[in-house]
Amino acid sequence: ISGILIGIEHAAYLATRGLDVVDAVSNALIKSGYDKETKQQVFIQSEDPPVLSAFKKFPKFNRVFEIEFDIRDVSKPSVVEIKEFANAVKLRRSSAAQVDGFYLTGFNAVVERLRDADIQVHVGVLKNEFMSLAFDYWADPMVEIATDTWSVLADGLVTEFPSTAAAYFRSPCSDIKRNMSYTIKPGEPGALVDMAAYGALPPAPPPAPVLEPADVHRQPLPLCPTEPMFRTFRCRLPPKETGKNAEYTANLAADG
């Protein structure tokens, strides 16, 4: 194992419930000695910039900004914003490669833009199921891995089938620079769409947006409350008057 990846989600919500997940993860990594680790890499992944900013005190950690919506490009001001708190970005597969009706039509400029700014790009989540693969991948998940590796030029891949990715990278046929009798070649955009019958393609979807600074939320995480929350199926309501106990209510389903 060359490293570990820790994904932190809903940190702001958990903070309002008295759970400081950022502090808990930081203490666990320090206790395990990962803050002084030199052989294994540590990746902290989150869609919340304040979470990644909190881990800047660990200079050896890789901070991965997760973008869980489709984009086709990223503006220069957004790149500047991202570099303030992250050194890598995790993109959806549809943000890296353009797939229209299961036909591979091209690659978006977002990967090149981020790599030019010295920001690593991770692509995922890759799957092996046929219905998740473009026709240009020939129902072979290794062809998609080859496409993301040699055409998209992704620095990392996130997959639900690590054994498939490991088998690909261990194979000498994965290196297209070697003069092998057989090589696992990446998919070619437009190779099949031009041969598709008229009407086989669905209407073209609207273009994905460009990532702008307003999409990069950098509001600080809320402070954890000093008092524990009331943990039942009931909802806590603030007291109507000072000095009186809080009132509670319950949402009950009634038979119709």
Side-chain angles (χ1 to χ4, degrees):
I1 298 177
S2 60
I4 61 172
L5 183 148
I6 300 176
I8 300 179
E9 300 179 352
H10 312 300
Y13 170 80
L14 294 174
T16 62
R17 295 299 183 266
L19 301 175
D20 191 344
V21 64
V22 173
D23 188 60
V25 172
S26 299
N27 292 337
L29 291 172
I30 293 174
K31 186 177 180 180
S32 302
Y34 277 100
D35 57 323
K36 300 179 177 63
E37 178 64 51
T38 58
K39 296 182 180 180
Q40 293 187 341
Q41 298 185 76
V42 177
F43 294 87
I44 304 296
Q45 178 176 288
S46 179
E47 61 183 355
D48 295 325
V51 172
L52 301 178
S53 297
F55 284 92
K56 292 177 69 174
K57 59 184 179 182
F58 302 104
K60 295 182 180 180
F61 291 0
N62 297 283
R63 302 180 304 278
V64 184
F65 179 44
E66 184 176 17
I67 303 177
E68 277 303 312
F69 54 90
D70 289 342
I71 59 174
R72 72 176 187 275
D73 205 345
V74 55
S75 65
K76 290 184 179 180
S78 298
V79 173
V80 175
E81 287 282 331
I82 293 174
K83 286 182 69 68
E84 289 293 326
F85 58 84
N87 47 27
V89 168
K90 186 257 180 181
L91 298 174
R92 292 167 57 95
R93 301 154 71 193
S94 49
S95 294
Q98 299 174 5
V99 179
D100 183 9
F102 286 96
Y103 291 95
L104 186 64
T105 59
F107 303 112
N108 289 326
V110 57
V111 176
E112 181 180 2
R113 194 91 64 194
L114 292 170
R115 286 174 55 88
D116 289 344
D118 198 25
I119 298 176
Q120 294 186 358
V121 178
H122 302 171
V123 176
V125 176
L126 274 63
K127 301 179 181 180
N128 280 11
E129 289 88 351
F130 170 77
M131 292 303 295
S132 71
L133 301 172
F135 295 149
D136 301 76
Y137 299 147
W138 305 105
D140 188 347
M142 289 192 178
V143 175
E144 182 178 22
I145 295 175
T147 304
D148 289 334
T149 302
W150 295 103
S151 298
V152 176
L153 299 178
D155 299 287
L157 301 177
V158 183
T159 177
E160 291 184 354
F161 297 86
S163 59
T164 300
Y168 168 80
F169 287 108
R170 290 188 183 127
S171 172
C173 301
S174 64
D175 190 351
I176 62 176
K177 295 182 179 180
R178 300 177 62 176
N179 189 18
M180 304 285 293
S181 58
Y182 173 77
T183 303
I184 305 175
K185 296 182 179 180
E188 298 181 9
L192 293 181
V193 69
D194 293 337
M195 297 188 296
Y198 177 78
L201 287 175
V210 176
L211 189 72
E212 298 291 350
D215 302 318
V216 184
H217 303 290
R218 299 187 62 184
Q219 296 180 355
L221 293 174
L223 298 177
C224 290
T226 56
E227 297 181 0
M229 298 296 291
F230 187 77
R231 305 176 190 277
T232 69
F233 66 94
R234 294 178 292 180
C235 306
R236 186 172 70 172
L237 297 178
K240 291 183 178 180
E241 297 180 9
T242 306
K244 293 186 177 182
N245 295 329
E247 294 183 1
Y248 300 91
T249 184
N251 295 323
L252 302 177
D255 295 333

